[in-house]
């Protein structure tokens, strides 16, 4: 039960955290790689696409890909299809990628 609470808490906090991270990346004009599902219905998804500066990479699922600090596995491990999203707060870098697409 402790394992489930950890993941529920993490997932409940994810969308606001993503938006805060996007703000920080833009403010600092830096880059990061966000690991998330392809959630096109999420309010932050268009922002994610605007900030891309490289092609996203779908991660292969394997045992151990999603573990909490105590080594417990996420209940949906193997079901979630995660993607590495390279995003940049440098608008010209993101725009250059968008033009190449």
């Amino acid at each position: 039960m402790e394992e489930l609470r950890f993941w529920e808490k993490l997932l409940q906090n994810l969308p606001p955290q993503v938006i805060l991270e996007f703000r920080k990346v833009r403010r600092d004009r830096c880059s990061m790689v966000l690991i998330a599902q392809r959630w096109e219905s999420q309010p932050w998804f268009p922002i994610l696409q605007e900030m891309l500066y490289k092609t996203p990479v779908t991660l292969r699922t394997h045992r151990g890909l999603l573990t909490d600090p105590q080594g417990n596995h996420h209940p949906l491990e193997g079901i979630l299809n995660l993607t590495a999203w390279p995003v940049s707060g440098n608008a010209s870098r993101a725009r250059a990628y968008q033009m190449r697409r």
Side-chain angles (χ1 to χ4, degrees), residues 2 5 32 36 40 66 70 94:
E2 182 68 30
R5 265 187 257 131
M32 73 174 214
E40 294 180 23
L66 295 173
Q70 288 74 38

Side-chain angles (χ1 to χ4, degrees), residues 2-98:
E2 182 68 30
E3 171 188 352
L4 189 56
R5 265 187 257 131
F6 172 83
W7 290 109
E8 284 175 350
K9 187 175 179 181
L10 180 68
L11 292 175
Q12 286 170 355
N13 293 327
L14 183 60
Q17 186 62 35
V18 168
I19 292 168
L20 290 174
E21 289 300 323
F22 285 161
R23 286 183 187 153
K24 180 172 175 28
V25 166
R26 281 190 169 153
R27 184 188 70 226
D28 296 347
R29 295 178 46 94
C30 63
S31 301
M32 73 174 214
V33 177
L34 173 70
I35 306 298
Q37 281 191 275
R38 184 179 190 92
W39 284 338
E40 294 180 23
S41 62
Q42 292 298 311
W44 48 263
F45 195 79
I47 300 167
L48 170 77
Q49 290 184 307
E50 269 178 32
M51 295 177 69
L52 284 175
Y53 72 95
K54 288 185 179 178
T55 304
V57 177
T58 302
L59 303 178
R60 292 184 308 138
T61 57
H62 61 81
R63 183 93 172 128
L65 180 62
L66 295 173
T67 57
D68 69 13
Q70 288 74 38
N72 299 310
H73 297 276
H74 188 285
L76 298 177
E77 186 176 55
I79 296 172
L80 294 174
N81 293 313
L82 298 175
T83 300
W85 303 91
V87 295
S88 177
N90 181 328
S92 59
R93 186 176 190 188
R95 230 181 341 269
Y97 170 76
Q98 301 297 330

